[in-house]
């Protein structure tokens, strides 16, 4: 029986991937930090937890040894941080550590989970593809997106040096088992808890987390070394997301649109106060700045080369809403 090593396996996307790999008949070794929330893997058979983190080279060696595949899904996914250094260490240095450890262990295929954050978004509403490149890191908004961009560049560089790396760029995963929840999942919980009285004019690409996880496996099985594959779903406006959530939950959708200038001013004040108080802002300024662009992307390459498919955004949002309700995330 083939084995696969997964970083981030206790997290939202990683746990969905673990389930995909088990369904394919693989044994899984999942890297787990000390004290991490492991609820997402409870009850699963053929899963071995490897204690350690992205900077623990002994754990990475032990985890990748004997594995045919390695999937690097662990990341620091926060839209605001008071100190960005740990984020860069996780998303850039950690990427290098995992890929090199897997290569030294003779892993046949290494799938690096990047993000559409590493791809320049469209300047209009035309979905962007894998060839859309930032001119440089200074053009990237937010430390999160900068760190994912640099990690993406590093993974491609290592592939050019001969390491068997394939890169996938997930859009905005939505679905069950988002225990934190992620910033994307927080849109759902905020809506369900009445904390979204209005919306701004922006767009996102919504993909069911299980479809995104399946795309990781397809990248390992069929992906070309050094290539990037966007794993997305439907391109929708934020208003459409809220309308779909209203239909899924029976709750009313917000009717009022906040002008971008007003949202920007609120984000600036909220973020400044958060720095002073040492708390997390409700509306991080970087998130507002990112919302200026429609984050719409095309998965045509993954569909053509990998056989990737996705279900409608409405299904992803309903599954997420049902899971959050069943697990006590709503008031």
């Amino acid at each position: 029986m083939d084995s696969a090593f997964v970083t981030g396996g206790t997290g939202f996307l990683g746990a969905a991937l673990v389930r995909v790999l088990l369904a394919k008949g693989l044994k899984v070794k999942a890297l787990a930090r000390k004290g991490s929330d492991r609820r997402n893997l409870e009850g699963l058979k053929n899963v071995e937890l490897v204690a350690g983190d992205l900077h623990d080279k002994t754990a990475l060696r032990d985890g990748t040894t004997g594995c045919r595949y390695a999937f690097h899904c662990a990341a620091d996914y926060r839209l605001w941080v008071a100190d960005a250094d740990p984020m860069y260490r996780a998303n850039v240095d950690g990427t290098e550590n995992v890929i090199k450890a897997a290569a030294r262990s003779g892993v046949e295929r290494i799938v690096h989970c990047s993000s559409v954050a590493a791809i320049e978004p469209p300047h209009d509403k035309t979905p962007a593809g894998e060839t859309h490149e930032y001119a440089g890191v200074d053009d990237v908004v937010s430390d999160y997106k900068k760190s994912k961009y640099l990690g993406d560049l590093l993974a491609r560089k290592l592939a050019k040096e001969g390491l068997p790396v394939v890169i996938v760029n997930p859009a905005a995963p939505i679905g069950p088992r988002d225990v934190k929840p992620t910033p994307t999942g927080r849109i759902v919980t905020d809506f369900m808890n009445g904390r979204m009285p209005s919306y701004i004019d922006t767009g996102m690409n919504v993909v069911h987390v299980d479809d995104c996880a399946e795309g990781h496996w397809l990248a390992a099985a069929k992906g070309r070394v050094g290539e990037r594959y966007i794993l997305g779903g439907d391109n929708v406006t934020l208003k459409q997301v809220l309308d779909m959530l209203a239909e899924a939950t029976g709750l009313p959708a917000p009717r009022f649109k906040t002008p971008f200038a007003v949202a920007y001013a609120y984000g600036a004040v909220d973020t400044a106060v958060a720095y002073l108080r040492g708390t997390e802002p409700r509306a991080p300024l970087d998130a507002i700045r990112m919302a200026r662009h429609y984050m719409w992307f095309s998965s045509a390459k993954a569909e053509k080369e990998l056989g990737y498919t996705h279900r409608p955004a409405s299904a992803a949002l309903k599954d997420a809403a049902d899971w959050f309700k069943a697990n006590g995330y709503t008031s």
Side-chain angles (χ1 to χ4, degrees):
M1 181 183 290
D2 287 332
S3 296
F5 176 65
V6 179
T7 69
T10 60
F12 177 44
L13 176 56
L17 173 60
V18 168
R19 285 168 167 76
V20 167
L21 297 174
L22 293 175
K24 304 297 180 184
L26 279 74
K27 292 182 179 179
V28 175
K29 294 199 283 185
L31 186 71
R33 289 176 294 128
K34 183 178 180 180
S36 62
D37 187 338
R38 304 179 183 186
R39 284 177 290 168
N40 274 338
L41 299 182
E42 286 180 355
L44 297 181
K45 297 180 179 179
N46 289 324
V47 176
E48 174 190 345
L49 295 181
V50 179
D53 59 34
L54 299 178
H55 310 292
D56 185 339
K57 296 187 178 180
T58 299
L60 296 178
R61 180 200 64 204
D62 293 344
T64 55
T65 297
C67 288
R68 183 176 181 184
Y69 306 103
F71 298 86
H72 177 39
C73 297
D76 189 337
Y77 179 22
R78 293 177 290 168
L79 298 184
W80 180 86
V81 288
D83 177 10
D85 286 346
M87 177 174 284
Y88 285 95
R89 287 197 297 272
N91 295 348
V92 184
D93 299 343
T95 294
E96 182 173 21
N97 293 340
V98 172
I99 291 176
K100 288 186 174 180
R104 283 193 294 268
S105 294
V107 170
E108 180 181 310
R109 186 68 85 242
I110 305 165
V111 177
H112 169 58
C113 178
S114 180
S115 167
V116 291
I119 296 173
E120 184 181 33
H123 295 292
D124 51 21
K125 296 181 181 180
T126 303
E130 289 84 355
T131 59
H132 285 236
E133 296 277 6
Y134 283 107
V137 69
D138 290 340
D139 290 339
V140 184
V141 175
S142 88
D143 285 308
Y144 169 69
K145 293 184 72 172
K146 288 178 190 292
S147 67
K148 292 300 288 185
Y149 169 73
L150 293 173
D152 189 287
L153 288 180
L154 175 61
R156 285 187 279 167
K157 174 178 177 289
L158 294 173
K160 287 180 180 178
E161 293 176 359
L163 278 60
V165 183
V166 178
I167 299 96
V168 292
N169 299 80
I174 291 282
R177 297 181 297 276
D178 190 357
V179 294
K180 277 191 173 181
T182 62
T184 311
R186 215 169 293 146
I187 293 174
V188 181
T189 57
D190 281 353
F191 171 85
M192 296 179 72
N193 288 307
R195 294 197 293 265
M196 194 169 286
S198 66
Y199 63 93
I200 59 176
D201 183 16
T202 190
M204 60 196 300
N205 184 292
V206 172
V207 58
H208 196 292
V209 67
D210 293 341
D211 295 334
C212 189
E214 179 72 21
H216 282 64
W217 165 249
L218 292 171
K222 302 179 181 180
R224 291 183 287 138
V225 169
E227 293 294 319
R228 295 198 290 182
Y229 297 93
I230 293 173
L231 303 179
D234 290 342
N235 291 308
V236 290
T237 65
L238 178 56
K239 179 65 166 63
Q240 288 173 316
V241 167
L242 300 176
D243 287 343
M244 285 185 274
L245 284 172
E247 183 174 352
T249 63
L251 298 170
R255 293 181 298 166
F256 303 104
K257 181 170 68 174
T258 299
F260 182 82
V262 174
Y264 189 95
Y266 176 81
V269 172
D270 190 38
T271 302
V273 170
Y275 273 112
L276 292 174
R277 293 180 176 174
T279 58
E280 184 176 354
R282 292 279 309 150
L285 181 57
D286 280 343
I288 302 297
R289 293 172 64 201
M290 286 187 281
R292 182 183 289 274
H293 298 286
Y294 272 65
M295 299 293 289
W296 284 0
F297 297 90
S298 169
S299 300
K301 180 178 177 181
E303 292 167 7
K304 180 180 179 180
E305 294 191 16
L306 308 181
Y308 172 74
T309 60
H310 66 84
R311 70 199 78 181
S314 57
L317 290 162
K318 185 178 188 309
D319 283 357
D322 288 347
W323 187 87
F324 283 128
K325 182 177 180 180
N327 287 273
Y329 285 76
T330 58
S331 56

